[in-house]
């Protein structure tokens, strides 16, 4: 029998965290490439440190996507985040670009030719998850961790305050009773700040954002509310710690409440199933839970490089389902073509929609008018209800 009373913790990091700066730059360049040609191939990594950004990777893009254009996209991303500090400034940082053409050996395995459909860009396993403990069908600890930092970032961008910097972290521990979250047992927020700000002012400002985000009555005891527990956080971002693309994969997904296949999302075009298949798995799992077929749904997909169809489609409702899981797997595969081309077509992924995913989670976000977060749509609910007579 699964445990129903427990404390579970998840963390989030802000757009100014050094790893997230790297993710944002990488995804901004993915968008640059897809805007020039929706069939672009991109696998791009970014390293950030004190006033230095290094771009590396493999691409197949139009000639218009030059190194200079990539460097400018990187500067624009850093500027938008808000870095204008001595140790990391969008205008003054050195940016080196070592991006080169995609390997022909990879291309021949992925490209369609003759009767061969387009294959997966790599082998791997991907997971999608949904749970009905929030209206976004996300685990509550990661959901509220994201919202706290997003609220602080919006205040900073709107110039509501002038003493917070871009770098921040949050961590929530939630008490579950009967398998449902009921309150916070602890809250941790560390946020970069100016020299002039005193810690008590920061603590009370952060408190306001935490209590505004959390459901009523969920705030933790005062002695478990930690704000900048080291007492000082002036030097932050890439000046304080090196950032790399793809190092916050649990922050990007479900906060540890569900497995992760291991592959990062940012910096990859949607032919890479690390990204597109993880989006598809989330899309299917969310629709299953929204249709009332289960309280929780975990979906695993697996692929081989150069092979179009998934090797396996595993569905686990973790003891909360009211339908046969084998039938559910079969129905889901009828409703959606899970080949790389099928996923991209169904979710319309060949668009410049990825920079916005690089912070505050790839899941649990509202679909937008430009096609972003299409994997969060609930347009399979009616078909699932019909298939199972719900």
């Amino acid at each position: 029998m699964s445990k129903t009373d427990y404390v579970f913790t998840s963390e989030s990091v802000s757009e100014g965290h050094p790893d997230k700066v790297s993710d944002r730059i990488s995804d901004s360049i993915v968008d640059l490439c897809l805007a020039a040609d929706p069939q672009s191939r991109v696998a791009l990594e970014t390293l950030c440190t004190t006033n230095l950004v290094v771009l590396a990777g493999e691409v197949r893009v139009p000639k218009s996507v030059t190194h200079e254009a990539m460097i400018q996209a990187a500067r624009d991303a850093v500027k938008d985040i808000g870095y204008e500090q001595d140790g990391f400034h969008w205008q003054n940082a050195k940016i080196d670009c070592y991006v080169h053409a995609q390997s022909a050996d990879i291309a021949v395995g992925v490209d369609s030719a003759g009767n061969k459909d387009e294959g997966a860009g790599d082998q791997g396993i991907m997971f999608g998850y949904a749970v009905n403990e929030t209206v976004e069908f996300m685990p509550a600890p990661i959901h509220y961790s994201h919202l706290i930092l997003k609220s602080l970032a919006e205040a900073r961008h709107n110039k509501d305050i002038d003493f917070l910097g871009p770098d921040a972290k949050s961590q929530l521990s939630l008490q579950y009773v009967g398998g449902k979250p009921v309150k916070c047992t602890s809250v941790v927020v560390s946020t970069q700040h100016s020299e002039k700000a005193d810690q008590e002012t920061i603590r009370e400002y952060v408190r306001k954002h935490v209590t505004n985000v959390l459901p009523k009555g969920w705030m933790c005891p005062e002695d478990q509310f930690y704000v900048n527990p080291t007492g000082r956080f002036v030097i932050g971002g890439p000046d304080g710690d090196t950032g790399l693309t793809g190092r916050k994969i649990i922050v990007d997904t479900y906060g540890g409440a569900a497995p992760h296949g291991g592959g990062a999302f940012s910096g990859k075009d949607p032919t890479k199933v690390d990204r597109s298949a993880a989006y598809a798995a989330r899309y299917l799992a969310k629709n299953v839970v929204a249709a009332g077929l289960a309280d929780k749904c975990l979906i695993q997909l697996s692929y081989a490089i150069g092979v179009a169809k998934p090797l396996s489609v595993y569905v686990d409702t973790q003891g909360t389902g009211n339908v046969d899981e084998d039938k559910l797997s079969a129905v889901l595969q009828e409703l959606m073509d899970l080949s790389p081309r099928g996923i991209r077509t169904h979710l319309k992924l060949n668009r410049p929609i990825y920079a916005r995913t690089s912070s505050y989670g790839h899941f649990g976000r509202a679909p937008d008018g430009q096609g972003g977060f299409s994997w969060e749509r609930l347009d399979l609910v009616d078909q699932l209800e019909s298939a199972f007579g719900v």
Side-chain angles (χ1 to χ4, degrees):
M1 181 179 292
S2 62
K3 194 173 182 180
T4 59
D5 297 348
Y6 54 89
V7 174
F8 192 84
T9 304
S10 294
E11 71 155 347
S12 180
V13 297
S14 74
E15 67 198 55
H17 184 281
D19 293 330
K20 282 290 147 198
V21 174
S22 293
D23 284 345
R24 172 65 176 276
I25 292 171
S26 293
D27 275 338
S28 295
I29 294 173
V30 170
D31 284 354
L32 173 73
C33 297
L34 291 174
D37 179 2
Q39 303 306 316
S40 290
R41 299 288 170 79
V42 188
L44 196 136
E45 313 295 340
T46 302
L47 176 148
C48 295
T49 186
T50 302
N51 270 334
L52 175 65
V53 175
V54 180
L55 310 175
E58 305 80 44
V59 299
R60 190 172 75 193
V61 296
K63 290 182 179 179
S64 61
V65 185
T66 62
H67 280 194
E68 290 73 19
M70 294 182 188
I71 289 170
Q72 187 59 52
R75 290 199 189 280
D76 291 344
V78 175
K79 181 181 181 181
D80 191 61
I81 291 168
Y83 274 112
E84 296 184 341
Q85 301 169 4
D86 290 342
F88 196 70
H89 195 295
W90 67 270
Q91 198 168 28
N92 303 330
K94 180 183 179 184
I95 303 181
D96 292 333
C97 185
Y98 299 100
V99 177
H100 58 82
Q102 182 189 53
S103 161
D105 290 347
I106 293 176
V108 74
V110 176
D111 291 346
S112 58
N115 293 325
K116 174 186 173 295
D117 194 7
E118 177 185 293
D122 200 355
Q123 70 176 45
I125 57 174
M126 299 85 209
F127 289 93
Y129 182 68
V131 59
N132 64 3
E133 63 191 43
T134 62
V135 295
E136 293 80 8
F137 300 97
M138 286 291 288
I142 188 67
H143 175 67
Y144 291 113
S145 292
H146 286 325
L147 289 185
I148 289 168
L149 296 185
K150 198 170 183 183
S151 179
L152 289 170
E154 287 171 353
R156 179 174 58 84
H157 284 297
N158 293 337
K159 310 297 185 183
D160 293 344
I161 41 86
D162 61 1
F163 56 82
L164 294 187
D167 195 358
K169 285 185 169 184
S170 64
Q171 181 174 287
L172 297 188
S173 298
L174 296 191
Q175 176 72 58
Y176 281 71
V177 176
K180 299 293 183 182
V182 296
K183 64 179 180 179
C184 288
T185 60
S186 67
V187 175
V188 184
V189 179
S190 295
T191 179
Q192 188 182 13
H193 57 86
S194 66
E195 287 272 11
K196 68 180 181 180
D198 67 88
Q199 292 301 320
E200 187 58 30
T201 298
I202 296 169
R203 179 184 178 88
E204 292 312 306
Y205 189 78
V206 168
R207 183 196 303 276
K208 179 177 69 173
H209 286 267
V210 172
T211 55
N212 284 346
V213 161
L214 291 177
K216 187 176 181 180
W218 274 36
M219 186 59 178
C220 66
E222 185 64 21
D223 64 353
Q224 296 298 309
F225 178 48
Y226 303 97
V227 177
N228 287 358
T230 67
R232 178 181 168 88
F233 188 3
V234 173
I235 299 173
D239 188 29
D241 192 11
T242 301
L244 293 170
T245 301
R247 285 207 300 197
K248 288 293 177 283
I249 57 177
I250 302 304
V251 171
D252 285 344
T253 54
Y254 308 103
H260 190 291
F265 304 155
S266 290
K268 298 175 181 177
D269 76 80
T271 67
K272 278 69 171 175
V273 284
D274 276 344
R275 179 167 225 158
S276 56
Y279 291 173
R282 159 65 178 176
Y283 170 66
L284 295 177
K286 183 178 181 181
N287 276 268
V288 166
V289 176
L293 305 184
D295 293 338
K296 301 178 182 180
C297 184
L298 176 70
I299 293 177
Q300 184 204 59
L301 306 175
S302 68
Y303 292 85
I305 188 168
V307 179
K309 293 294 184 181
L311 306 182
S312 63
V313 180
Y314 168 77
V315 179
D316 180 9
T317 55
Q318 301 182 341
T320 70
N322 50 38
V323 298
D324 180 77
E325 290 173 347
D326 290 337
K327 180 181 177 182
L328 181 55
S329 175
V331 169
L332 292 174
Q333 292 176 74
E334 292 173 1
L335 294 179
M336 185 176 187
D337 176 358
L338 291 171
S339 68
R341 184 198 301 275
I343 292 170
R344 293 202 327 277
T345 300
H346 191 108
L347 297 178
K348 297 181 172 59
L349 298 180
N350 283 96
R351 294 187 279 187
I353 56 173
Y354 297 106
R356 69 200 73 174
T357 70
S358 61
S359 54
Y360 313 117
H362 291 245
F363 308 122
R365 312 277 291 275
D368 62 43
Q370 293 75 46
F373 303 102
S374 60
W375 48 94
E376 293 295 314
R377 299 190 318 243
L378 293 174
D379 51 359
L380 296 182
V381 168
D382 290 347
Q383 295 172 79
L384 285 167
E385 290 176 341
S386 177
F388 290 94
V390 176

